[in-house]
Amino acid sequence: MRPFRIDIPQAALDDLDRRIADARWPAELPGVRWDRGVPLEYLKDLADHWRTKFDWRAVEDRLNQVPQYVTEIDGVDVHFLHVRSPEPTATPLILTHGWPGSVTEFLDVIGPLTDPAAHGGDPGDAFHVVIPSLPGYGFSGAPAEAGWGVKRVARAWAELMASLGYDRYIAQGGDWGSSISLHLGLADPEHVAGVHVNMLVTIPPEDPAAMAALDATDAARLAHAAAFEEDGTGWRKIQSTRPQTLAYALTDSPVGQLAWIAEKYKEWTSSKDAPEEAVERDQLLAVASVYWLTASAGTSAQLYYESNRTVEDFLETWAGPWPLTMPVGVTYFAGDIVRPVRAFAERILPTLAHWTEHDRGGHFAALEQPGPFVDDVREFARKLR
């Protein structure tokens, strides 16, 4: 393991500045707002903020205050944050982000998770926290060969936790981190004490009685899922089938990369009119900057091709069943684009031991609602003692 420090060359920041200033903007139909994608005037304003007001060096300094390392696993350099708690009996916890996310979304929860006493909490709720960047994402290296799907990432995480000396740990994640954490429980059952996810895909079973038993809330969630599949999954289709073609555009245009990400922070969160209603503008730009400065638009999309290209891939990656031997916890934040049905979850998760629902927050739970996120992870961990 090698200590790691982020140090983006000034030339890269100057290049970003120039590219935004020289952006070539498309036309837009009047009055369409977000219906056909990110509105032109909104993106112009956000890009101008990125160029003239956003401070990457402040983000870089904050990240560099957290101990970071790189280690080679299965031929890939894996970057991770690793913060040990001052409490000797703390529980190891691995947090996994998704797309379009990064390790930056966990910065506000590291302190409360590792040192609850310093944040008004119970020292008994402390965790040793490990936060890796997915292969091909951010400051991790990109795989040089095909085959890096969620199962292989899960096996890499098992190796990472073993190399850190953690014999019993909790896996937590959302988006890709949800699937990876569940697969980690399957891959390393001797050491995973529990799995906690803040996103769960629940597909209706082929059982008319199960469908007839749904209440109005769950029926609305199914209707939402159908609408989302019809209108909201264009990103998934192209990243799952032609990630390399997309990479040329997003790696060459910071405005294109920004739009590709900002759209998801508007649609997948609790915001109504703009992403800033759910996350601060600079938090969104920190995520976009990580993707741009590491040129990881294309390499991050490869995970979709590996794990989501066909219907069979999708079902294996997301649908379960999950024959886990350890307890599983699910928390749902109402603004999330993925809305689980508990009755269906109980069919695919035989060890479901924890279920909570929050009326605020969305897909990027740790970033949007760090307090409730921390509380929920703590509550789940207490059930494992």
Side-chain angles (χ1 to χ4, degrees), residues 55-67:
D55 185 356
W56 166 257
R57 293 301 184 198
V59 175
E60 189 176 75
D61 288 345
R62 189 178 181 197
L63 281 165
N64 284 333
Q65 292 174 22
V66 182

Side-chain angles (χ1 to χ4, degrees), residues 254-272:
V255 169
Q257 176 69 91
L258 181 61
W260 198 245
I261 289 176
E263 180 184 85
K264 302 314 169 197
Y265 279 79
K266 192 270 182 183
E267 294 183 351
W268 297 357
T269 64
S270 55
S271 65
K272 296 180 66 176

Side-chain angles (χ1 to χ4, degrees), residues 1-2 68-74 76-84 92-96 103 129-135 140 148 152-167 169 180 184 188 191:
M1 293 188 180
R2 312 184 300 277
Q68 300 172 71
Y69 303 87
V70 171
T71 188
E72 183 179 326
I73 302 177
D74 197 8
V76 173
D77 280 343
V78 174
H79 163 260
F80 63 99
L81 315 183
H82 182 207
V83 184
R84 287 189 60 83
L93 171 70
I94 182 167
L95 300 166
T96 305
V103 297
V129 172
V130 179
I131 310 174
S133 296
L134 290 171
S140 280
W148 273 89
R152 192 163 176 180
V153 176
R155 293 195 298 270
W157 278 195
E159 183 174 337
L160 173 62
M161 295 303 278
S163 67
L164 292 171
Y166 292 136
D167 185 64
Y169 60 92
I180 290 166
L184 180 52
D188 195 21
H191 303 104

Side-chain angles (χ1 to χ4, degrees), residues 34-372:
W34 289 85
D35 294 345
R36 303 192 183 207
V38 182
L40 178 60
E41 289 306 312
Y42 170 80
L43 192 63
K44 282 186 173 181
D45 183 62
L46 184 61
D48 182 69
H49 185 102
W50 197 9
R51 186 176 74 85
T52 63
K53 298 177 183 178
F54 174 72
D55 185 356
W56 166 257
R57 293 301 184 198
V59 175
E60 189 176 75
D61 288 345
R62 189 178 181 197
L63 281 165
N64 284 333
Q65 292 174 22
V66 182
Q68 300 172 71
Y69 303 87
V70 171
T71 188
E72 183 179 326
I73 302 177
D74 197 8
V76 173
D77 280 343
V78 174
H79 163 260
F80 63 99
L81 315 183
H82 182 207
V83 184
R84 287 189 60 83
S85 171
E87 303 297 334
T89 59
T91 301
L93 171 70
I94 182 167
L95 300 166
T96 305
H97 67 83
W99 183 93
S102 80
V103 297
T104 63
E105 66 192 74
F106 296 108
L107 287 174
D108 288 340
V109 304
I110 292 174
L113 287 172
T114 58
D115 193 3
H119 294 80
D122 181 351
D125 289 328
F127 299 94
H128 302 305
V129 172
V130 179
I131 310 174
S133 296
L134 290 171
Y137 286 67
F139 301 100
S140 280
E145 62 180 5
W148 273 89
V150 292
K151 292 182 179 180
R152 192 163 176 180
V153 176
R155 293 195 298 270
W157 278 195
E159 183 174 337
L160 173 62
M161 295 303 278
S163 67
L164 292 171
Y166 292 136
D167 185 64
R168 184 177 184 272
Y169 60 92
I170 295 172
Q172 198 287 328
D175 194 84
W176 282 121
S178 169
S179 178
I180 290 166
S181 296
L182 290 164
H183 280 289
L184 180 52
L186 294 175
D188 195 21
E190 298 84 3
H191 303 104
V192 176
V195 176
H196 180 279
V197 298
N198 56 277
M199 189 196 88
L200 183 71
V201 174
T202 54
I203 295 176
E206 296 179 1
D207 180 357
M211 298 297 291
L214 296 180
D215 61 18
T217 297
D218 286 337
R221 291 183 183 183
L222 283 185
H224 171 86
F228 173 63
E229 193 66 28
E230 176 74 19
D231 184 63
T233 56
W235 104 95
R236 190 180 76 202
K237 191 65 175 177
I238 192 169
Q239 294 196 165
S240 298
T241 58
R242 301 293 186 271
Q244 187 64 31
T245 303
L246 176 68
Y248 298 115
L250 301 189
T251 306
D252 189 59
S253 169
V255 169
Q257 176 69 91
L258 181 61
W260 198 245
I261 289 176
E263 180 184 85
K264 302 314 169 197
Y265 279 79
K266 192 270 182 183
E267 294 183 351
W268 297 357
T269 64
S270 55
S271 65
K272 296 180 66 176
D273 297 316
E276 290 86 344
E277 296 170 0
V279 299
E280 294 179 5
R281 176 165 281 197
D282 282 357
Q283 291 176 316
L284 169 58
L285 291 172
V287 174
S289 296
V290 169
Y291 279 82
W292 174 259
L293 295 170
T294 60
S296 54
T299 55
S300 64
Q302 296 295 336
L303 185 56
Y304 282 84
Y305 188 93
E306 298 289 353
S307 300
N308 225 64
R309 188 167 61 90
T310 67
V311 172
E312 291 75 15
D313 290 338
F314 178 86
L315 294 174
E316 185 177 8
T317 298
W318 299 108
W322 304 100
L324 296 164
T325 57
M326 71 289 298
V328 176
V330 176
T331 185
Y332 162 63
F333 290 80
D336 199 344
I337 199 69
V338 179
R339 302 178 182 180
V341 173
R342 181 167 184 172
F344 299 166
E346 291 170 345
R347 286 171 169 258
I348 60 174
L349 288 168
T351 57
L352 182 64
H354 175 86
W355 183 280
T356 56
E357 300 194 5
H358 304 267
D359 59 6
R360 298 180 61 191
H363 195 71
F364 309 95
L367 187 61
E368 297 177 65
Q369 294 292 320

